Amino acid sequence: MLDLVEHGQRPRIKDAALGLLSNALDHFPTAGHNRVGTPYGANVPLCCAIARHIRGRRSALLTHGVHGKQLMAKAELHWRLTIEEAELQDDSSLIAIAVLEGAPFQTPVEAELRTPPLEPAQNVRINALTTDTSRRACIELGQAPSEPVPGSALYPSECGRREH
């Protein structure tokens, strides 16, 4: 779909591809089919994997006016935090430096923590998030079940529950 948006020859086909991508971000897959394997992690929520591809084509999508901008804004809601460093605190909370993909979000928020090769994901609460213009973030996880290693990723819990 993204190739059609970027390289398609017909405007109506491009518009249809934009609409289908938007629908894909809103989709609630059948139970058991809401996760995919990617080069950057196993069992990633489907909507978050699609959003990452969309963010990768930002410049091409922004040339498509309002519809391209709306799709980008929707993709930004499916954030991902990749932990680079972490330190366990005395109160069992965890402070981490991470890279944010997507838009900064309001805290507190529930997230799923994926620490390779552990499965399934651990549910955690992000109590605080601060970011800078380079998308580097400092986060506080309340009551982290284990200390995540560099490369661990956080996704919105609500995305992991998207199924019917």
Side-chain angles (χ1 to χ4, degrees), residues 95-111:
I95 303 295
I97 302 299
V99 175
L100 174 65
E101 295 176 37
F105 48 88
Q106 295 292 319
T107 56
V109 68
E110 297 298 316

Side-chain angles (χ1 to χ4, degrees), residues 38-140:
T38 68
Y40 50 87
N43 292 316
V44 173
L46 179 61
C47 54
C48 293
I50 292 168
R52 192 168 201 228
H53 283 290
I54 290 169
R55 285 193 299 271
R57 303 277 185 102
R58 179 179 186 78
S59 59
L61 288 168
L62 292 179
T63 65
H64 291 282
V66 172
H67 297 295
K69 289 177 185 172
Q70 287 173 340
L71 181 61
M72 279 303 306
K74 193 182 274 192
E76 292 290 305
L77 299 175
H78 298 267
W79 49 265
R80 170 188 159 98
L81 283 162
T82 306
I83 294 176
E84 294 182 333
E85 298 177 45
E87 185 175 306
L88 198 57
Q89 303 298 296
D90 291 338
D91 65 355
S92 297
S93 67
L94 187 107
I95 303 295
I97 302 299
V99 175
L100 174 65
E101 295 176 37
F105 48 88
Q106 295 292 319
T107 56
V109 68
E110 297 298 316
E112 60 178 49
L113 173 65
R114 300 199 149 281
T115 303
L118 300 177
E119 292 297 330
Q122 301 170 359
N123 291 318
V124 296
R125 183 180 185 92
I126 300 174
N127 289 331
L129 167 78
T130 55
T131 61
D132 64 17
T133 55
S134 70
R135 295 292 187 172
R136 301 200 50 87
C138 181
I139 58 173
E140 177 192 343

Side-chain angles (χ1 to χ4, degrees), residues 27-43:
H27 186 63
F28 281 72
T30 305
H33 298 282
N34 65 332
R35 300 197 177 260
V36 294
T38 68
Y40 50 87
N43 292 316

Side-chain angles (χ1 to χ4, degrees), residues 3-17:
D3 284 342
L4 285 174
V5 171
E6 190 171 0
H7 305 294
Q9 300 299 310
R10 302 205 184 319
R12 288 178 44 187
I13 296 292
K14 290 181 176 192
D15 289 344

